[in-house]
Amino acid sequence: MPKQIAILSSTLTHRIAAGEVVERPASIVKELVENALDAGAGEVYINLEGGGCEEIRVADNGVGIPAAEVPLAFARYATSKISQFEDLYGIHSFGFRGEALPSIASIARVEMVTRSAAETAGICCVVEAGEVRECRETGAPVGTSLIVSRIFSEVPVRRKFLKSDLAEQGACIDAITRLALACPEVTFRVSVGGKPLLHIPGTDDLSERIGLTLGRDLASALVKAAEEKAGAKLEGFVSRPTFTRSNASQIYIYVNGRFVKDHLLNHAVMTAYRRIIAPRRYPAAVLALELAPADVDVNVHPAKLEVRFRYPREIYGLIVTVIQAAVGVTPESADHVGEPEVREGRGDYVARVEEALKRYRISTGTEKLFFTGYPRASRGEALVLAEPSPPSSLTEPLATGWALPEKEKKSEGEGGYGSLRYLGQVADTYLVFADATALVLVDQHAAHERILYEKLKDRTEGGAPQSQRLLLPEVVSLPPRELAFLADSAPILAEAGLEVEPFGGDSLVVKAVPSFLSPAEARQLILDILSDYGETDRRLPLTDRRERLLMSLACRGAVKAKRELSVAEVGALCRELDAFSQEVTCPHGRPVRLTFSVVELEKRFQRR
Ligand code: ADP
Ligand code: MG
């Protein structure tokens, strides 16, 4: 039962807020390397222990921190990068919120050694659980080095969400790669467990850096793309249509030097390649978009991964035109893949852009305080829209919040999955099991979806929903119709652990999400639910809408196909399957498992 209202202790509020910035070791690596780059380092050294889960070291030869300012660096909202509101419109550094160091120090032990050129001695400062434990003079070269250890030791729930060391290490390397591509002139040295892994010497040639970070094969498949229009400049490299990948992971887009994973920009890239590469194939691209800082709001996402544009339509058009010019797309060549009879006219292209912009508006809301607060000098000529190319659906892999026990226990009881031997994964999607009588294949996504669905159903039919409160509730702006629909559905959403409330005007606030989903996904969850509810579902009475909702939630929370699972993860999945569901299909009706009996195998091998 809640008691009196009381202000939370600062240790607690810091730890709460830290969850926004520090999701996993890779977020720490990103923040520390960004600080090194902001400090003008020419060289950055990174060492990871236990995939970054045990210890992360980042050392740079940047300007260092003057001794007197060292304790401030760990204070919340303390930054050397902006000082007044207007500075938000001219950000040239990665950091500016002064949140990273205090957040990291509130969930880990941080030892920082730093010296600025003006001082003869360095300072060693140890901060743990948000408290400065030690601060003393020490000999040190100019620059800064940080050792972060005991990561999440005080936040066991976060540790539980971490994947295998190898997966976390991969995410750390991804974070470094993104920054290395943004700053080719900086030398990066990366080691793992003290052993050198990467040496990326500084260069003024982006294509050389691409070769060293993304591989020579990819680099040789790229062509240069560049164009400047109406105050926006787009530059970089994009792959020839003959080179494609099975996912969008090789699309690197930077806005004013900052890596972003922005749906609108990715959509524009896919539009440019539509019809010249096969469906469900993706290009590679490293593109840098430079805009007047007042035309882009970077302060809209905790990890600054998404941005908002003052002129989204023009940016979209610029990307499409530049890429198509670079890869030599003409209306004639745009048809050699796909169905030639479906020639699209300009009208279809416009419809596609409108669809992308509509989605962009749904997720950004109508209010654009950032842009209305600061008028731009002149807009210049409007950018010319590119020639038509057909639509694509860009599906991005999303992190799944799948909490699993660290170690696999012995399977208990006979029958069920517990009595099967796990043999391995096929295509990172299908789990292979066998026993003396049969071969069993399980679709990991369908299986996990079924489990989550059953659990949710149990809860909505009596049990209390397991949800996690968002410590910083997420405000989502929506068109009135969508808003009304969600407000109306609020009781069934709450039963499933998703708490939403009207927030005045065109907004609603998400206060809690089901416990198996990451709070960072709250906004996307709302948008997905809206797109999953078809017109007919919306007209159903409240109780009948529940089914669709549970399906959306289960699908979103379930581990995706094409993800490597550890043996421990498979073990946990099996135990849950045994405990929760004998159902042989996922909620959408696809099979969870296929069983081939020995008899069946004998037939196939023509022994019978
Ligand atoms: P932000 O980067 O948003 O300013 P941080 O918490 O990451 O906030 O860092 C706080 C301040 O500490 C920075 O503004 C900067 O002055 C200083 N700082 C942090 N890391 C470094 C570094 N590697 N070299 C020099 N100064 C640093
Ligand atoms: Mg920073």
Side-chain angles (χ1 to χ4, degrees):
M1 242 334 248
K3 304 176 211 77
Q4 280 174 311
I5 298 180
I7 292 176
L8 297 175
S9 75
S10 64
T11 319
L12 185 54
T13 51
H14 286 186
R15 200 168 284 161
I16 287 165
E20 288 261 296
V21 182
V22 188
E23 203 187 335
R24 57 196 298 196
S27 357
I28 300 179
V29 170
K30 167 180 176 282
E31 294 294 340
L32 298 186
V33 175
E34 286 187 350
N35 279 348
L37 297 170
D38 281 345
E43 185 163 341
V44 183
Y45 167 81
I46 301 130
N47 181 56
L48 307 171
E49 297 289 336
C53 302
E54 296 308 319
E55 188 193 280
I56 295 166
R57 273 175 198 248
V58 175
D60 68 59
N61 61 355
V63 294
I65 307 177
E69 292 174 24
V70 169
L72 262 185
F74 289 98
R76 185 150 288 274
Y77 308 126
T79 178
S80 56
K81 298 166 194 174
I82 58 170
S83 58
Q84 50 189 4
F85 180 71
E86 287 68 31
D87 293 346
L88 277 175
Y89 295 99
I91 289 167
H92 293 289
S93 54
F94 287 109
F96 57 86
R97 306 210 292 204
E99 282 178 315
L101 288 183
S103 296
I104 295 167
S106 72
I107 53 94
R109 178 184 190 275
V110 181
E111 182 177 329
M112 177 200 255
V113 174
T114 185
R115 175 159 84 88
S116 69
E119 282 161 337
T120 47
I123 292 280
C124 172
C125 187
V126 179
V127 186
E128 195 166 358
E131 308 278 338
V132 178
R133 296 283 146 110
E134 192 184 330
C135 227
R136 58 180 163 83
E137 273 200 357
T138 182
V142 173
T144 305
S145 76
L146 285 112
I147 304 175
V148 181
S149 56
R150 298 180 43 79
I151 297 162
F152 295 133
S153 61
E154 308 288 325
V155 201
V157 60
R158 280 280 168 185
R159 270 204 98 87
K160 243 177 55 181
F161 274 87
L162 296 184
K163 298 180 185 147
S164 67
D165 284 3
L166 212 56
E168 293 300 333
Q169 178 178 312
C172 293
I173 304 290
D174 284 347
I176 297 167
T177 303
R178 291 166 180 177
L179 288 164
L181 285 169
C183 303
E185 66 291 346
V186 177
T187 296
F188 286 79
R189 284 173 200 277
V190 184
S191 55
V192 164
K195 290 201 196 71
L197 180 75
L198 296 170
H199 176 208
I200 314 171
T203 172
D204 50 14
D205 178 0
L206 176 61
S207 66
E208 187 185 321
R209 168 99 350 157
I210 295 174
L212 278 180
T213 49
L214 305 182
R216 293 272 163 222
D217 278 0
L218 191 149
S220 63
L222 299 179
V223 287
K224 203 170 164 58
E227 169 111 28
E228 198 168 347
K229 236 177 203 155
K233 189 167 126 192
L234 185 69
E235 224 177 2
F237 290 87
V238 293
S239 55
R240 294 195 185 86
T242 43
F243 175 100
T244 61
R245 287 285 170 100
S246 63
N247 59 48
S249 66
Q250 302 296 329
I251 301 177
Y252 293 82
I253 306 181
Y254 295 82
V255 176
N256 289 352
R258 194 182 296 284
F259 175 85
V260 295
K261 241 191 166 121
D262 191 276
H263 182 269
L264 187 81
L265 300 181
N266 279 340
H267 198 272
V269 171
M270 294 310 290
T271 296
Y273 279 95
R274 205 54 198 173
R275 303 304 281 275
I276 56 169
I277 64 178
R280 281 182 295 283
R281 298 295 296 178
Y282 298 82
V286 178
L287 288 171
L289 177 64
E290 298 288 333
L291 297 168
D295 285 349
V296 54
D297 185 357
V298 293
N299 195 18
V300 291
H301 185 270
K304 311 185 193 92
L305 272 176
E306 287 171 23
V307 286
R308 297 289 172 259
F309 299 105
R310 189 188 289 261
Y311 304 121
R313 182 186 305 274
E314 286 76 4
I315 300 299
Y316 193 104
L318 177 68
I319 292 176
V320 178
T321 341
V322 173
I323 296 179
Q324 292 197 333
V327 298
V329 177
T330 58
E332 294 73 45
S333 68
D335 267 328
H336 81 263
V337 176
E339 322 84 298
E341 66 275 16
V342 196
R343 282 297 285 253
E344 297 195 327
R346 187 170 177 78
D348 298 299
Y349 169 77
V350 172
R352 175 166 167 71
V353 178
E354 290 313 320
E355 171 206 310
L357 288 169
K358 190 173 136 215
R359 189 179 161 140
Y360 178 80
R361 278 192 295 268
I362 290 181
S363 70
T364 56
T366 44
E367 138 205 46
K368 293 197 189 66
L369 222 51
F370 179 85
F371 299 120
T372 48
Y374 192 89
R376 184 178 170 185
S378 95
R379 174 171 174 172
E381 60 173 307
L383 298 169
V384 180
L385 289 183
E387 273 309 301
S389 290
S392 84
S393 62
L394 184 73
T395 43
E396 276 197 348
L398 282 147
T400 53
W402 189 17
L404 288 164
E406 300 278 332
K407 298 255 176 327
E408 191 191 7
K409 292 198 210 84
K410 284 247 172 311
S411 44
E412 302 130 2
E414 281 305 298
Y417 290 90
S419 64
L420 294 170
R421 211 151 26 97
Y422 173 56
L423 300 178
Q425 226 178 345
V426 177
D428 285 355
T429 303
Y430 307 104
L431 310 174
V432 186
F433 298 85
D435 68 7
T437 60
L439 171 74
V440 178
L441 302 175
V442 172
D443 178 323
Q444 64 193 41
H445 175 74
H448 195 210
E449 202 177 357
R450 169 54 75 181
I451 295 166
L452 292 178
Y453 178 78
E454 293 297 332
K455 283 186 174 175
L456 278 166
K457 214 162 90 178
D458 270 354
R459 282 175 207 147
T460 52
E461 287 166 5
Q466 281 191 8
S467 61
Q468 48 181 334
R469 306 225 127 243
L470 269 58
L471 291 145
L472 290 178
E474 180 90 33
V475 178
V476 188
S477 308
L478 293 167
R481 187 172 157 280
E482 309 277 51
L483 201 64
F485 171 69
L486 280 177
D488 185 38
S489 311
I492 54 163
L493 302 179
E495 282 175 11
L498 178 63
E499 275 186 49
V500 299
E501 265 175 35
F503 195 60
D506 61 353
S507 309
L508 61 78
V509 58
V510 187
K511 294 193 154 172
V513 297
S515 50
F516 56 83
L517 290 168
S518 152
E521 292 182 42
R523 169 185 299 271
Q524 198 54 48
L525 178 63
I526 295 293
L527 299 178
D528 284 4
I529 289 175
L530 287 172
S531 54
D532 280 358
Y533 270 105
E535 240 358 280
T536 28
D537 293 310
R538 290 182 183 222
R539 282 198 295 270
L540 292 171
L542 209 50
T543 45
D544 297 336
R545 282 185 220 157
R546 181 181 292 131
E547 177 94 348
R548 162 69 51 194
L549 169 77
L550 300 188
M551 280 163 65
S552 301
L553 292 176
C555 183
R556 179 142 196 95
V559 61
K560 300 285 182 286
K562 301 231 186 302
R563 212 198 95 189
E564 202 187 321
L565 295 188
S566 69
V567 173
E569 289 177 317
V570 174
L573 186 66
C574 291
R575 281 191 296 278
E576 302 233 82
L577 273 173
D578 283 339
F580 278 97
S581 170
Q582 270 66 54
E583 289 284 347
V584 291
T585 63
C586 77
H588 299 101
R590 289 197 302 106
V592 165
R593 66 161 183 264
L594 300 175
T595 305
F596 300 87
S597 66
V598 170
V599 176
E600 168 92 359
L601 293 175
E602 282 173 351
K603 273 193 201 145
R604 296 284 183 107
F605 284 108
Q606 300 180 1
R607 285 170 174 270
R608 284 188 171 236

PDB file of all heavy atoms in Angstrom, residues 434-456:
ATOM      1  N   ALA A 434      15.710 -34.010 -30.141  1.00  0.00           N
ATOM      2  CA  ALA A 434      15.459 -35.407 -30.503  1.00  0.00           C
ATOM      3  C   ALA A 434      15.355 -36.266 -29.259  1.00  0.00           C
ATOM      4  O   ALA A 434      15.868 -35.893 -28.198  1.00  0.00           O
ATOM      5  CB  ALA A 434      16.592 -35.926 -31.381  1.00  0.00           C
ATOM      6  N   ASP A 435      14.669 -37.394 -29.371  1.00  0.00           N
ATOM      7  CA  ASP A 435      14.793 -38.456 -28.381  1.00  0.00           C
ATOM      8  C   ASP A 435      14.783 -39.766 -29.152  1.00  0.00           C
ATOM      9  O   ASP A 435      14.964 -39.750 -30.384  1.00  0.00           O
ATOM     10  CB  ASP A 435      13.717 -38.373 -27.288  1.00  0.00           C
ATOM     11  CG  ASP A 435      12.325 -38.665 -27.789  1.00  0.00           C
ATOM     12  OD1 ASP A 435      12.183 -39.076 -28.980  1.00  0.00           O
ATOM     13  OD2 ASP A 435      11.367 -38.484 -27.036  1.00  0.00           O
ATOM     14  N   ALA A 436      14.621 -40.867 -28.464  1.00  0.00           N
ATOM     15  CA  ALA A 436      14.754 -42.151 -29.144  1.00  0.00           C
ATOM     16  C   ALA A 436      13.678 -42.351 -30.207  1.00  0.00           C
ATOM     17  O   ALA A 436      13.856 -43.136 -31.143  1.00  0.00           O
ATOM     18  CB  ALA A 436      14.698 -43.278 -28.125  1.00  0.00           C
ATOM     19  N   THR A 437      12.577 -41.627 -30.113  1.00  0.00           N
ATOM     20  CA  THR A 437      11.457 -41.932 -30.997  1.00  0.00           C
ATOM     21  C   THR A 437      11.150 -40.863 -32.036  1.00  0.00           C
ATOM     22  O   THR A 437      10.345 -41.077 -32.927  1.00  0.00           O
ATOM     23  CB  THR A 437      10.175 -42.139 -30.170  1.00  0.00           C
ATOM     24  OG1 THR A 437       9.927 -40.921 -29.462  1.00  0.00           O
ATOM     25  CG2 THR A 437      10.324 -43.280 -29.190  1.00  0.00           C
ATOM     26  N   ALA A 438      11.741 -39.685 -31.912  1.00  0.00           N
ATOM     27  CA  ALA A 438      11.346 -38.624 -32.845  1.00  0.00           C
ATOM     28  C   ALA A 438      12.367 -37.499 -32.945  1.00  0.00           C
ATOM     29  O   ALA A 438      13.230 -37.329 -32.092  1.00  0.00           O
ATOM     30  CB  ALA A 438       9.997 -38.035 -32.397  1.00  0.00           C
ATOM     31  N   LEU A 439      12.210 -36.752 -34.037  1.00  0.00           N
ATOM     32  CA  LEU A 439      12.968 -35.531 -34.239  1.00  0.00           C
ATOM     33  C   LEU A 439      11.959 -34.381 -34.131  1.00  0.00           C
ATOM     34  O   LEU A 439      10.894 -34.433 -34.740  1.00  0.00           O
ATOM     35  CB  LEU A 439      13.579 -35.547 -35.641  1.00  0.00           C
ATOM     36  CG  LEU A 439      14.228 -34.255 -36.128  1.00  0.00           C
ATOM     37  CD1 LEU A 439      15.558 -34.041 -35.425  1.00  0.00           C
ATOM     38  CD2 LEU A 439      14.443 -34.321 -37.639  1.00  0.00           C
ATOM     39  N   VAL A 440      12.272 -33.374 -33.316  1.00  0.00           N
ATOM     40  CA  VAL A 440      11.298 -32.302 -33.103  1.00  0.00           C
ATOM     41  C   VAL A 440      11.936 -30.962 -33.462  1.00  0.00           C
ATOM     42  O   VAL A 440      13.053 -30.658 -33.033  1.00  0.00           O
ATOM     43  CB  VAL A 440      10.838 -32.262 -31.619  1.00  0.00           C
ATOM     44  CG1 VAL A 440       9.855 -31.125 -31.387  1.00  0.00           C
ATOM     45  CG2 VAL A 440      10.225 -33.592 -31.221  1.00  0.00           C
ATOM     46  N   LEU A 441      11.245 -30.181 -34.284  1.00  0.00           N
ATOM     47  CA  LEU A 441      11.712 -28.839 -34.638  1.00  0.00           C
ATOM     48  C   LEU A 441      10.773 -27.817 -34.009  1.00  0.00           C
ATOM     49  O   LEU A 441       9.561 -27.965 -34.075  1.00  0.00           O
ATOM     50  CB  LEU A 441      11.713 -28.650 -36.153  1.00  0.00           C
ATOM     51  CG  LEU A 441      12.558 -29.634 -36.955  1.00  0.00           C
ATOM     52  CD1 LEU A 441      12.366 -29.401 -38.446  1.00  0.00           C
ATOM     53  CD2 LEU A 441      14.023 -29.496 -36.569  1.00  0.00           C
ATOM     54  N   VAL A 442      11.340 -26.787 -33.400  1.00  0.00           N
ATOM     55  CA  VAL A 442      10.518 -25.768 -32.744  1.00  0.00           C
ATOM     56  C   VAL A 442      10.853 -24.407 -33.330  1.00  0.00           C
ATOM     57  O   VAL A 442      12.030 -24.071 -33.499  1.00  0.00           O
ATOM     58  CB  VAL A 442      10.783 -25.764 -31.220  1.00  0.00           C
ATOM     59  CG1 VAL A 442      10.093 -24.578 -30.549  1.00  0.00           C
ATOM     60  CG2 VAL A 442      10.302 -27.069 -30.596  1.00  0.00           C
ATOM     61  N   ASP A 443       9.831 -23.631 -33.664  1.00  0.00           N
ATOM     62  CA  ASP A 443      10.035 -22.258 -34.134  1.00  0.00           C
ATOM     63  C   ASP A 443      10.146 -21.382 -32.884  1.00  0.00           C
ATOM     64  O   ASP A 443       9.190 -21.245 -32.127  1.00  0.00           O
ATOM     65  CB  ASP A 443       8.829 -21.862 -34.995  1.00  0.00           C
ATOM     66  CG  ASP A 443       8.910 -20.424 -35.504  1.00  0.00           C
ATOM     67  OD1 ASP A 443       9.395 -19.533 -34.764  1.00  0.00           O
ATOM     68  OD2 ASP A 443       8.488 -20.189 -36.626  1.00  0.00           O
ATOM     69  N   GLN A 444      11.333 -20.802 -32.653  1.00  0.00           N
ATOM     70  CA  GLN A 444      11.558 -20.115 -31.374  1.00  0.00           C
ATOM     71  C   GLN A 444      10.620 -18.934 -31.163  1.00  0.00           C
ATOM     72  O   GLN A 444      10.147 -18.691 -30.054  1.00  0.00           O
ATOM     73  CB  GLN A 444      13.027 -19.684 -31.237  1.00  0.00           C
ATOM     74  CG  GLN A 444      13.486 -18.655 -32.261  1.00  0.00           C
ATOM     75  CD  GLN A 444      14.999 -18.493 -32.279  1.00  0.00           C
ATOM     76  OE1 GLN A 444      15.728 -19.478 -32.186  1.00  0.00           O
ATOM     77  NE2 GLN A 444      15.480 -17.268 -32.405  1.00  0.00           N
ATOM     78  N   HIS A 445      10.350 -18.190 -32.226  1.00  0.00           N
ATOM     79  CA  HIS A 445       9.466 -17.024 -32.062  1.00  0.00           C
ATOM     80  C   HIS A 445       8.042 -17.481 -31.755  1.00  0.00           C
ATOM     81  O   HIS A 445       7.417 -17.026 -30.805  1.00  0.00           O
ATOM     82  CB  HIS A 445       9.487 -16.142 -33.304  1.00  0.00           C
ATOM     83  CG  HIS A 445       8.506 -15.008 -33.240  1.00  0.00           C
ATOM     84  ND1 HIS A 445       8.721 -13.899 -32.443  1.00  0.00           N
ATOM     85  CD2 HIS A 445       7.300 -14.819 -33.825  1.00  0.00           C
ATOM     86  CE1 HIS A 445       7.686 -13.084 -32.565  1.00  0.00           C
ATOM     87  NE2 HIS A 445       6.811 -13.610 -33.389  1.00  0.00           N
ATOM     88  N   ALA A 446       7.549 -18.424 -32.558  1.00  0.00           N
ATOM     89  CA  ALA A 446       6.182 -18.898 -32.353  1.00  0.00           C
ATOM     90  C   ALA A 446       6.023 -19.476 -30.947  1.00  0.00           C
ATOM     91  O   ALA A 446       5.013 -19.246 -30.273  1.00  0.00           O
ATOM     92  CB  ALA A 446       5.837 -19.948 -33.407  1.00  0.00           C
ATOM     93  N   ALA A 447       7.050 -20.214 -30.486  1.00  0.00           N
ATOM     94  CA  ALA A 447       6.959 -20.851 -29.175  1.00  0.00           C
ATOM     95  C   ALA A 447       6.918 -19.809 -28.061  1.00  0.00           C
ATOM     96  O   ALA A 447       6.063 -19.862 -27.175  1.00  0.00           O
ATOM     97  CB  ALA A 447       8.152 -21.788 -28.968  1.00  0.00           C
ATOM     98  N   HIS A 448       7.810 -18.836 -28.154  1.00  0.00           N
ATOM     99  CA  HIS A 448       7.859 -17.830 -27.094  1.00  0.00           C
ATOM    100  C   HIS A 448       6.602 -16.964 -27.118  1.00  0.00           C
ATOM    101  O   HIS A 448       6.052 -16.590 -26.082  1.00  0.00           O
ATOM    102  CB  HIS A 448       9.115 -16.966 -27.273  1.00  0.00           C
ATOM    103  CG  HIS A 448       9.444 -16.144 -26.064  1.00  0.00           C
ATOM    104  ND1 HIS A 448      10.077 -14.943 -26.129  1.00  0.00           N
ATOM    105  CD2 HIS A 448       9.189 -16.347 -24.749  1.00  0.00           C
ATOM    106  CE1 HIS A 448      10.221 -14.447 -24.913  1.00  0.00           C
ATOM    107  NE2 HIS A 448       9.684 -15.283 -24.057  1.00  0.00           N
ATOM    108  N   GLU A 449       6.109 -16.711 -28.313  1.00  0.00           N
ATOM    109  CA  GLU A 449       4.886 -15.929 -28.459  1.00  0.00           C
ATOM    110  C   GLU A 449       3.713 -16.632 -27.775  1.00  0.00           C
ATOM    111  O   GLU A 449       2.924 -16.025 -27.057  1.00  0.00           O
ATOM    112  CB  GLU A 449       4.604 -15.785 -29.962  1.00  0.00           C
ATOM    113  CG  GLU A 449       3.731 -14.630 -30.312  1.00  0.00           C
ATOM    114  CD  GLU A 449       3.554 -14.513 -31.815  1.00  0.00           C
ATOM    115  OE1 GLU A 449       4.164 -15.297 -32.572  1.00  0.00           O
ATOM    116  OE2 GLU A 449       2.782 -13.658 -32.234  1.00  0.00           O
ATOM    117  N   ARG A 450       3.654 -17.945 -27.979  1.00  0.00           N
ATOM    118  CA  ARG A 450       2.579 -18.722 -27.361  1.00  0.00           C
ATOM    119  C   ARG A 450       2.684 -18.665 -25.833  1.00  0.00           C
ATOM    120  O   ARG A 450       1.693 -18.487 -25.141  1.00  0.00           O
ATOM    121  CB  ARG A 450       2.647 -20.170 -27.891  1.00  0.00           C
ATOM    122  CG  ARG A 450       1.773 -21.164 -27.173  1.00  0.00           C
ATOM    123  CD  ARG A 450       0.319 -20.771 -27.088  1.00  0.00           C
ATOM    124  NE  ARG A 450      -0.413 -20.917 -28.326  1.00  0.00           N
ATOM    125  CZ  ARG A 450      -1.718 -20.604 -28.453  1.00  0.00           C
ATOM    126  NH1 ARG A 450      -2.402 -20.143 -27.423  1.00  0.00           N
ATOM    127  NH2 ARG A 450      -2.318 -20.746 -29.598  1.00  0.00           N
ATOM    128  N   ILE A 451       3.912 -18.777 -25.313  1.00  0.00           N
ATOM    129  CA  ILE A 451       4.096 -18.752 -23.858  1.00  0.00           C
ATOM    130  C   ILE A 451       3.642 -17.411 -23.296  1.00  0.00           C
ATOM    131  O   ILE A 451       2.864 -17.341 -22.332  1.00  0.00           O
ATOM    132  CB  ILE A 451       5.582 -18.965 -23.483  1.00  0.00           C
ATOM    133  CG1 ILE A 451       6.016 -20.366 -23.890  1.00  0.00           C
ATOM    134  CG2 ILE A 451       5.816 -18.735 -21.995  1.00  0.00           C
ATOM    135  CD1 ILE A 451       7.515 -20.548 -23.881  1.00  0.00           C
ATOM    136  N   LEU A 452       4.119 -16.333 -23.921  1.00  0.00           N
ATOM    137  CA  LEU A 452       3.762 -15.009 -23.408  1.00  0.00           C
ATOM    138  C   LEU A 452       2.256 -14.791 -23.486  1.00  0.00           C
ATOM    139  O   LEU A 452       1.633 -14.245 -22.584  1.00  0.00           O
ATOM    140  CB  LEU A 452       4.487 -13.910 -24.203  1.00  0.00           C
ATOM    141  CG  LEU A 452       5.993 -13.864 -24.008  1.00  0.00           C
ATOM    142  CD1 LEU A 452       6.614 -12.783 -24.879  1.00  0.00           C
ATOM    143  CD2 LEU A 452       6.351 -13.608 -22.549  1.00  0.00           C
ATOM    144  N   TYR A 453       1.674 -15.259 -24.582  1.00  0.00           N
ATOM    145  CA  TYR A 453       0.242 -15.106 -24.770  1.00  0.00           C
ATOM    146  C   TYR A 453      -0.524 -15.835 -23.652  1.00  0.00           C
ATOM    147  O   TYR A 453      -1.434 -15.289 -23.036  1.00  0.00           O
ATOM    148  CB  TYR A 453      -0.135 -15.657 -26.141  1.00  0.00           C
ATOM    149  CG  TYR A 453      -1.603 -15.602 -26.434  1.00  0.00           C
ATOM    150  CD1 TYR A 453      -2.211 -14.422 -26.813  1.00  0.00           C
ATOM    151  CD2 TYR A 453      -2.378 -16.745 -26.322  1.00  0.00           C
ATOM    152  CE1 TYR A 453      -3.560 -14.367 -27.077  1.00  0.00           C
ATOM    153  CE2 TYR A 453      -3.731 -16.699 -26.585  1.00  0.00           C
ATOM    154  CZ  TYR A 453      -4.324 -15.511 -26.957  1.00  0.00           C
ATOM    155  OH  TYR A 453      -5.650 -15.456 -27.214  1.00  0.00           O
ATOM    156  N   GLU A 454      -0.098 -17.077 -23.360  1.00  0.00           N
ATOM    157  CA  GLU A 454      -0.779 -17.838 -22.308  1.00  0.00           C
ATOM    158  C   GLU A 454      -0.628 -17.157 -20.952  1.00  0.00           C
ATOM    159  O   GLU A 454      -1.580 -17.090 -20.171  1.00  0.00           O
ATOM    160  CB  GLU A 454      -0.197 -19.262 -22.211  1.00  0.00           C
ATOM    161  CG  GLU A 454      -0.461 -20.136 -23.408  1.00  0.00           C
ATOM    162  CD  GLU A 454      -1.940 -20.406 -23.624  1.00  0.00           C
ATOM    163  OE1 GLU A 454      -2.708 -20.403 -22.637  1.00  0.00           O
ATOM    164  OE2 GLU A 454      -2.330 -20.601 -24.775  1.00  0.00           O
ATOM    165  N   LYS A 455       0.587 -16.658 -20.710  1.00  0.00           N
ATOM    166  CA  LYS A 455       0.813 -16.004 -19.419  1.00  0.00           C
ATOM    167  C   LYS A 455      -0.068 -14.776 -19.298  1.00  0.00           C
ATOM    168  O   LYS A 455      -0.688 -14.532 -18.262  1.00  0.00           O
ATOM    169  CB  LYS A 455       2.276 -15.576 -19.296  1.00  0.00           C
ATOM    170  CG  LYS A 455       3.242 -16.684 -18.990  1.00  0.00           C
ATOM    171  CD  LYS A 455       4.597 -16.051 -18.751  1.00  0.00           C
ATOM    172  CE  LYS A 455       5.621 -17.056 -18.281  1.00  0.00           C
ATOM    173  NZ  LYS A 455       6.940 -16.423 -18.181  1.00  0.00           N
ATOM    174  N   LEU A 456      -0.118 -13.989 -20.367  1.00  0.00           N
ATOM    175  CA  LEU A 456      -0.935 -12.780 -20.344  1.00  0.00           C
ATOM    176  C   LEU A 456      -2.395 -13.126 -20.133  1.00  0.00           C
ATOM    177  O   LEU A 456      -3.109 -12.472 -19.386  1.00  0.00           O
ATOM    178  CB  LEU A 456      -0.803 -12.024 -21.669  1.00  0.00           C
ATOM    179  CG  LEU A 456       0.420 -11.131 -21.809  1.00  0.00           C
ATOM    180  CD1 LEU A 456       0.613 -10.735 -23.265  1.00  0.00           C
ATOM    181  CD2 LEU A 456       0.274  -9.890 -20.943  1.00  0.00           C
TER     182      LEU A 456
END
